Amino acid sequence: MKTRHVTLSPKASLSLRLFAGLIEEGRLRKGWTRDELAERVGVGVVTIRQVAKGSPRVAIGTYFEAAALVGVALFTDDTDTLRREQATQRERLTLLPKRVHRQSQEPIDDDF
């Protein structure tokens, strides 16, 4: 199997490492081993080690599930608020065009 290389911007990389650190901190506060967290998330311990390192190759859903289990706040802890926010976001999305069309790149005549 070919290893997928993911390149992140410095800001995204730092944010992912921060998120990973919060998950690791939450795991330790709960007193869970990585094996226990892996079992709860439904992945292998190798994946949880990658989460702890902030690997961009781990699925975002795995990060979110681990975060939710160890008590890292994602958006809000209130399920009703999450549902309302998602509905509002879907409404905003319906107001935007379904597709973005690239504007033709005609050369600018700037020879005066």
Side-chain angles (χ1 to χ4, degrees):
M1 179 183 225
K2 191 173 183 179
T3 303
R4 188 173 59 138
H5 181 71
V6 179
T7 303
L8 298 178
S9 69
K11 183 177 181 180
S13 181
L14 182 60
S15 297
L16 185 56
R17 287 194 311 272
L18 171 61
F19 193 34
L22 292 170
I23 292 168
E24 185 70 359
E25 180 183 343
R27 177 186 71 78
L28 293 170
R29 285 186 189 279
K30 291 246 183 209
W32 294 348
T33 66
R34 286 189 178 146
D35 286 326
E36 290 171 318
L37 180 57
E39 185 177 326
R40 285 175 165 91
V41 173
V43 297
V45 72
V46 172
T47 301
I48 293 301
R49 276 193 225 115
Q50 292 298 308
V51 166
K53 291 178 184 178
S55 171
R57 296 180 335 166
V58 176
I60 192 167
T62 301
Y63 274 98
F64 273 40
E65 183 64 16
L69 287 169
V70 300
V72 174
L74 298 172
F75 297 97
T76 179
D77 287 334
D78 182 48
T79 305
D80 290 333
T81 301
L82 281 173
R83 284 190 182 107
R84 279 193 308 274
E85 287 294 324
Q86 183 187 28
T88 300
Q89 188 277 324
R90 279 194 313 255
E91 288 173 11
R92 287 193 314 260
L93 195 57
T94 62
L95 298 174
L96 294 170
K98 298 292 181 221
R99 295 183 182 190
V100 176
H101 299 284
R102 188 173 303 274
Q103 299 291 330
S104 62
Q105 295 289 333
E106 294 181 20
I108 298 173
D109 182 16
D110 61 356
D111 188 23
F112 298 103

